Amino acid sequence: MNEQLRKRIQNRLAGERGTVFKDAPFRVTVAYPNTYAVAMASLGFQTVYRLFNAEPDFAAERAFLEDAELAPPGRLVTYESGRYAGDAHVFGISVAFELDLVNVVRLLRAAGLEPLREERDDRDPLVLVGGPLTSSNPWPLAPFADAILIGDGEEMVPRLAEAYRQAESKAEFLDLIEGMPGVFLPDRDAREPHWATAPLDVLPVYSQIVAQQSEFPGVFLIEAERGCPRPCTFCLARTMYGPTRNVPAERVLEVVPEGVAKVGLVGAALSDYPHVKRVGHELLARGIKLSVSSIRADRVDLELAGILREGGLRTFTIASDGPSQRLRDLLKKQITEDHLLRAAEIARDLGFKGYKLYQMIGLPTETDDDISEMIAFTRRVAEITPVALGISPFVPKRHTPHFGDRFAGIKTIEARLKRIQKELRRLRPRVEVRSTSAKWAWIEAVIARGGPEVGLAALRLEDGESFAGWKRALEDVGWHDPLTLPEPEGAALPLVLG
Ligand code: SF4
């Protein structure tokens, strides 16, 4: 093994607690198409690792695409034993983001596997692909996976393990899992299955490994609630995670091991979690720091904010999502300017260092007036507290009411971003504006609603990904926009519907 890679792995393992070193007849590689730090902050990735290792005859080890840069081609290794990642019975990939699609192809190659399912045979590991992207849109992954797993891993992994024990070939394994909740066999099924939903009594899930080099260094993550009862039209939480399941406070508290310095509570809308204050107070009483994944402006009060401040949170992060009240109402966000201003006052009064405010632009029916309202509102917030404005272009997703809405257009979004930057520039450093790229949002929109042909386009890009490269590759595979609606004003590129 390359010396630099060996040291990297050693160093990371030394900063971990909870790593499973195990030998068993069935080897599983749990692989992540991005960096170690991002993977270790993913409870889904950690849960699959835990669940396979909980099966007595399975041993799961981790591999990360990031390490391919230091490994010879096809020789990516696992962290636990240093074996080749592709030398496994099962090769599981957890994909969270649309833009990791090309990384899935790279990951398979880095492990010495042919990316296309049709070019692998019984000697190769079974390639199983799960993660949030599969719930949102599994189709671009269809050319690569033997099976795509949609929904809660707690429900699926034990059944997959049992089928694997019984099967004597890949085809037999696929026969056995065909029709199971959440199992999508791309070469057999014309439709996506019902998502697998775990019952409340198997929750919460929590970190198997606490890693110092994670995006959340040294934080023990616990998912206190799954799903969201709110109706926000743009968000997948309601559909993707199934019914809302609130884990009783006692169960959340009892999984926190001795010696943990910081707990991260995870959930789609954690400030709606009915026990958040109780759990927060009890953790603080044990001397444990605390962070939460999301706070809604309408749920913030002095008590909750005080818990978070005492728990070590320095920046208040709030999503407004719609740039104007009209658009927040259209999105059913149930947040008003008063909620957002009140949250800013609380952030100021309790000494938070900053107030991060997330907005989306490029929403259906959006006009310049909506952007004017956002600019004026940001000025009002800045009079209360310094604000970091995070702006993302709106990407319509499947399984939401926006499935048939058009992407607003790169030119439109870039023009609006430019205007926002210009008009808020003079308020620096009181207001900092950060935005994500309109071009990459367009690619994300293509993948979010694309079919298998978008996966085939990604296959052409594994050696170098660029916006122009994506456009060429999409053209090469014959991708086209099936929307026949008239082009909205300012839209610069073809729009997408999967
Ligand atoms: S945006 Fe937040 S509150 Fe709205 S549905 Fe999604 S997770 Fe729930």
Side-chain angles (χ1 to χ4, degrees), residues 37 40 43 52 74 95 148 157 232 239 280 341 344 364 389-390 424 440 469:
M40 297 315 294
L43 261 188
F52 271 116
V95 199
I148 297 177
V157 170
C232 310
T239 41
L341 291 171
L389 189 63
L424 291 175
W440 285 102

Side-chain angles (χ1 to χ4, degrees), residues 96 98 131-140 150 192 195 236 240 396-399 447-449:
E98 281 85 357
L133 179 58
T134 65
S135 303
S136 159
N137 184 15
W139 291 100
I150 306 179
E192 292 157 61
W195 299 335
L236 276 160
M240 190 159 84
K397 302 272 169 137
R398 298 172 75 239
H399 305 299
I447 299 169
R449 296 189 288 188

Side-chain angles (χ1 to χ4, degrees), residues 228 230 232 234-235 237 268-269 296 333:
C228 180
R230 302 264 184 173
C232 310
F234 61 93
C235 178
R296 277 183 59 97
K333 181 72 190 174

Side-chain angles (χ1 to χ4, degrees), residues 239-273:
T239 41
M240 190 159 84
Y241 299 119
T244 309
R245 282 144 289 169
N246 291 309
V247 182
E250 298 71 29
R251 292 228 302 270
V252 170
L253 290 163
E254 76 193 15
V255 299
V256 181
E258 285 294 316
V260 160
K262 185 164 184 180
V263 163
L265 290 181
V266 177
L270 206 65
S271 42
D272 281 341
Y273 173 56

